[in-house]
Amino acid sequence: TDAVSGAKEIQMLGLSGIYTQMLTENIPAMRGLGQTFGLNYIPGSWMESIQITKGVGPVSNGFESLTGAINVEFKKPEESGRAHFNLYQATTGNTEFNGIYNTKVGQNWGTMFMVHANRMQNKLDHNDDGFLDMPLVQQINAYSRWRYNNNKNMEAQFGVKAILDERNGGQLKFSDDDKGTTQAYGTQVKTQRFEAYSKTGYVFTNREFTSVGWQNHVTYHKAVSFFGLKNYDGLQKSLYSNLMFQSYIGTSEHQYKAGVSFMLDDFDEKYNEPQTQYERNQTYMVPGAFIEYTFN
């Protein structure tokens, strides 16, 4: 844990978090600029379960799982209660609200809306070192998801998420007037993050253990920050698409997955302008094909 910024890093097999793949419902989500705060963007009340894989993961999830993968499953519209509301107030001043509303639309559609808000504005310094023990945080997080199931051989789901997050840290005496000066040390990270995804699956009724699936995910992540006299602005726009076919050879003991994928990341970063004028404006495209055989 970084007490100044509030960032938390997960280490697996002794290596830092960038080598651990973060997935939400088997879609690579917390990548690039979103890796820093990772699970802080996923409220605990939204989670259904967490799966952890150590070592290299399956090829269907991409190539970024060097030391392991963490997959978060969200609550499903058809499996959750109608509504859940939770209000939390701590003696330290941390306030948190969670709300989940679930409803069914017709026979085949289900929808769920989830919202999370937290605010921590009390300045704590229990060790009297003049620095905040934890950053001051304000966050609003909303998620709308839809799920379709024809109760035969086709299932689809899609959703949108939005996160607004602000974190302020540094010395107790720091104020907005001290920004860009040496009077007091302060940090600030303002984040805007938007996501949209879709998943479609079709099961072949005339051949068991055989299906085809298509996943898509787009991300917009913008961070504006400063750390003392240093400033950093980052913008990431990403696209992920994965088409996968699953079946067996001869008997169900010999199963395989095969497919094609495409990943695009567009970065626009500026660090410590105008002193050093370091900039990165690059686009990365990674097309790929994969196959995986499993004997059971």
Side-chain angles (χ1 to χ4, degrees):
T1 300
D2 177 6
V4 176
S5 66
K8 297 179 180 179
E9 183 180 72
I10 295 175
Q11 292 189 358
M12 295 184 75
L13 304 182
L15 293 177
S16 62
I18 60 173
Y19 299 100
T20 302
Q21 190 178 40
M22 299 289 293
L23 305 154
T24 56
E25 299 192 331
N26 288 318
I27 295 179
M30 297 299 172
R31 305 173 53 256
L33 304 188
Q35 185 85 35
T36 305
F37 292 101
L39 290 173
N40 287 339
Y41 294 147
I42 305 178
S45 62
W46 296 5
M47 296 182 185
E48 180 188 74
S49 61
I50 297 178
Q51 292 95 40
I52 298 177
T53 301
K54 288 188 177 181
V56 179
V59 297
S60 57
N61 292 337
F63 57 89
E64 296 179 319
S65 175
L66 295 181
T67 61
I70 299 175
N71 179 51
V72 177
E73 289 288 332
F74 293 107
K75 293 181 177 179
K76 310 293 191 297
E78 70 276 11
E79 300 172 0
S80 303
R82 184 65 182 268
H84 169 82
F85 298 100
N86 169 264
L87 182 64
Y88 171 78
Q89 176 69 57
T91 55
T92 56
N94 184 31
T95 305
E96 184 175 308
F97 170 77
N98 298 284
I100 300 175
Y101 181 74
N102 176 31
T103 186
K104 198 168 183 179
V105 182
Q107 294 184 342
N108 304 117
W109 286 91
T111 180
M112 174 180 283
F113 181 75
M114 297 184 278
V115 64
H116 166 86
N118 69 69
R119 177 181 171 86
M120 171 60 183
Q121 294 297 304
N122 277 15
K123 295 184 176 182
L124 303 179
D125 182 21
H126 292 301
N127 56 357
D128 297 323
D129 63 352
F131 282 79
L132 295 173
D133 292 340
M134 61 183 70
L136 308 181
V137 179
Q138 296 183 90
Q139 184 187 114
I140 181 72
N141 198 336
Y143 179 18
S144 176
R145 65 180 304 176
W146 293 73
R147 189 161 181 144
Y148 171 81
N149 191 337
N150 66 359
N151 299 315
K152 294 179 182 178
N153 58 356
M154 184 176 179
E155 187 174 333
Q157 55 180 298
F158 61 89
V160 291
K161 304 178 195 174
I163 301 172
L164 300 177
D165 185 89
E166 180 179 338
R167 298 170 183 269
N168 295 276
Q171 291 182 273
L172 283 171
K173 62 181 182 178
F174 179 81
S175 65
D176 291 339
D177 296 334
D178 299 322
K179 181 180 177 181
T181 71
T182 57
Q183 298 177 12
Y185 180 83
T187 70
Q188 183 181 81
V189 181
K190 290 185 176 181
T191 303
Q192 298 177 8
R193 182 179 175 88
F194 303 96
E195 299 177 60
Y197 75 93
S198 68
K199 299 173 70 174
T200 306
Y202 179 84
V203 178
F204 293 85
T205 55
N206 57 349
R207 183 178 173 86
E208 59 180 358
F209 304 110
T210 302
S211 61
V212 61
W214 190 24
Q215 300 174 329
N216 295 281
H217 184 260
V218 294
T219 306
Y220 174 91
H221 187 109
K222 182 180 180 180
V224 178
S225 61
F226 67 85
F227 301 87
L229 300 179
K230 311 286 187 181
N231 57 74
Y232 166 81
D233 297 340
L235 175 63
Q236 176 186 351
K237 291 176 281 188
S238 297
L239 167 67
Y240 169 79
S241 186
N242 186 21
L243 181 64
M244 180 173 56
F245 178 77
Q246 178 176 304
S247 188
Y248 62 91
I249 305 171
T251 67
S252 59
E253 294 179 346
H254 308 277
Q255 298 187 14
Y256 70 91
K257 296 178 182 177
V260 292
S261 64
F262 178 77
M263 189 175 292
L264 182 146
D265 290 316
D266 182 68
F267 290 98
D268 184 5
E269 295 179 287
K270 298 177 182 178
Y271 170 70
N272 207 26
E273 285 196 326
Q275 291 90 342
T276 60
Q277 294 188 346
Y278 169 79
E279 295 185 27
R280 180 173 76 142
N281 197 328
Q282 289 180 301
T283 301
Y284 303 91
M285 290 185 289
V286 185
F290 59 87
I291 185 167
E292 179 179 274
Y293 166 79
T294 303
F295 172 73
N296 187 8

